[in-house]
Structure formats: structure tokens, C-alpha cells
Amino acid sequence: MVISAPSGGGKTVVRSGLLDLDKRFAFSVTCTTRPMRPGEKEGRDYFFVTTEQFLKMRREGKLLEWARVHGNYYGTPVKSVMSVLEQGRIPVMTIDVKGARSVKRIFPEAVTVFLLPPDLKTLVQRLKGRGEKPENVAIRLETARSEIQVASKFDYLVINDKLPEAVREVAAIADLETRKTRRNLDKVKAFGEQLGRRRPR
Ligand code: ADP
Ligand code: 5GP
């Protein structure tokens, strides 16, 4: 499950709510060259790497996708996603819109969700509330302009007004998606095989 939003749109808090709500989900930790923010933890929020380490991973094909956002590199290690899938859980990726497109190209079965605050005023308040300096708010709003232009390419749109509701909506999307017939053909096949083995009366 890929969640994108303009900066301040709520990716981090929705992800955190989702992981608390439902044990089916696990965060696939990504790596970045940006400095650690206060309160962040290595390996929990990101793998913090140097530019050389990042470029080496990229060269060696260890990144599923990557992007440069606000002057820093970000990328999803293939390993992070595979280890979650191997546990039979749903990897949650909170990445930028370019990354979301790359993931969808590589994994067409990925589900993409675009989060939007109810209005621009709320987005600005939330960015300021997170402690972003005015110049950083301005940069993020400029980036948001191009980000919302690709919102229509996402599978789902969730309005992040009341946080618990937004989290529930994302979980509900996963509920429906996991019930898609094409994701459950093994069960249909198993039932068909049982029918095939049944002796006619
Ligand atoms: P992103 O990860 O997309 O940049 P965050 O998750 O950091 O966004 O959210 C930006 C700020 O807005 C944070 O301070 C967060 O606590 C706050 N926020 C996000 N969603 C809500 C919401 N539904 N209600 C109130 N505050 C919110
Ligand atoms: P921040 O620095 O605020 O944590 O993140 C900046 C932007 O980079 C956010 O939109 C975030 O979702 C995105 N991002 C984080 N990790 C990755 C990643 O691995 N790949 C891509 N494409 N974007 C990422």
C-alpha cells in the first residue's frame, strides 16, 4: 500500500495510526540522505545514509525506486518491502508521488492512496504546527502544486480531516482490495479442486 500526499498532508501520522490499528500492516522503512530530525530514530523512521552510500545502493540495484525531494535523496530498499511481504503482511510505503508511480509500474498490484487535507488553510496550519520555518512552508506549497496535478492517477483519494477517520478509511481500502477476486484465485482454485475430487452421487 503506497501512501502519498503533499508534505504536511499526514503521511507520517496516518501511517502510524494504521500500524497501531491493524497488525496486518508493517512499515517498509526507506532510506534518505537528509539529516535526522529531532525525535526521529535510525531504522524506525528512516535508514539515514550518506550520499555515497545512497548512490552505491542505487548503482547496485538495491533500491526499488528513488527520488530527489527538496534537495535530498530518498529511496526504498527492495529488502525493506520483501521482508514485509515474506511475513505475509502488507507493506506500507509513504513516499513521494514520483516514487508512487515507479512502484505502481514495477508492482501493478500495489494500491496507491493520495491523502489531502480538507483545504489549503489546514495544510498551512499543519505545516506551521509541525514547526516548519516560513521559507520551508513556501517550498512545500510550491511542490504541492505539481503533486496534486497527479492525484487523479492514484487509485484512491482520502481526505485527512479527522485523523482516526482517515486511518479507518485507509484500512477499509485494504479490506476491500484484499477481497478482490483476482487476488484470491488460489482460494477459488483450491475449492474447485475439492469439487473435482468429490465423487458424483
Ligand atoms: P507528512 O508526513 O505527509 O509530511 P505529517 O504526518 O507530518 O505529514 O503531518 C503534518 C502535521 O500535521 C503533523 O504535525 C501532524 O501531527 C499534523 N496532522 C496530520 N494530520 C492531522 C489531522 N487529521 N488532524 C490534526 N493534525 C494533523
Ligand atoms: P521528509 O523529509 O519530510 O521525511 O520526506 C520528504 C518526502 O520524501 C515525503 O514526501 C516522503 O514521503 C518522501 N519519501 C520518503 N521516503 C521516500 C522513498 O523512499 N522514496 C520516495 N520516492 N520518496 C520518499
Side-chain angles (χ1 to χ4, degrees), residues 2 28 57-58 61-66 75-82 93 95 99 102-107:
V2 181
S28 52
M57 288 175 82
R58 197 177 73 176
K62 292 188 174 152
L63 299 178
L64 175 63
E65 60 75 38
W66 68 275
T76 307
V78 175
K79 228 161 92 182
S80 286
V81 179
M82 294 320 286
M93 309 170 67
I95 59 179
S102 309
V103 172
K104 191 76 178 175
R105 220 173 21 239
I106 301 164
F107 283 131

Side-chain angles (χ1 to χ4, degrees), residues 87-150:
Q87 293 166 30
R89 298 168 83 194
I90 303 172
V92 179
M93 309 170 67
T94 44
I95 59 179
D96 87 314
V97 295
K98 291 188 216 99
R101 248 167 114 175
S102 309
V103 172
K104 191 76 178 175
R105 220 173 21 239
I106 301 164
F107 283 131
E109 69 273 29
V111 177
T112 56
V113 177
F114 196 84
L115 280 182
L116 260 188
D119 49 44
L120 180 60
K121 194 169 144 224
T122 310
L123 176 60
V124 173
Q125 276 169 356
R126 287 182 185 168
L127 282 167
K128 287 184 180 160
R130 192 172 71 181
E132 298 288 354
K133 293 191 196 118
E135 59 268 32
N136 283 341
V137 172
I139 294 171
R140 279 158 176 73
L141 295 182
E142 250 341 282
T143 311
R145 222 185 264 276
S146 54
E147 288 169 331
I148 61 152
Q149 278 173 10
V150 293

Side-chain angles (χ1 to χ4, degrees), residues 3 5-7 11 30-32 34 37 40 46 65-67 69-70 74-77 94-96 98-100 130 140 147:
I3 303 177
S7 179
K11 295 178 290 294
T30 65
C31 54
T32 181
R34 82 149 162 75
R37 289 184 188 140
E40 285 184 331
Y46 281 107
E65 60 75 38
W66 68 275
V69 186
H70 304 134
Y74 293 84
T76 307
T94 44
I95 59 179
D96 87 314
K98 291 188 216 99
R130 192 172 71 181
R140 279 158 176 73
E147 288 169 331

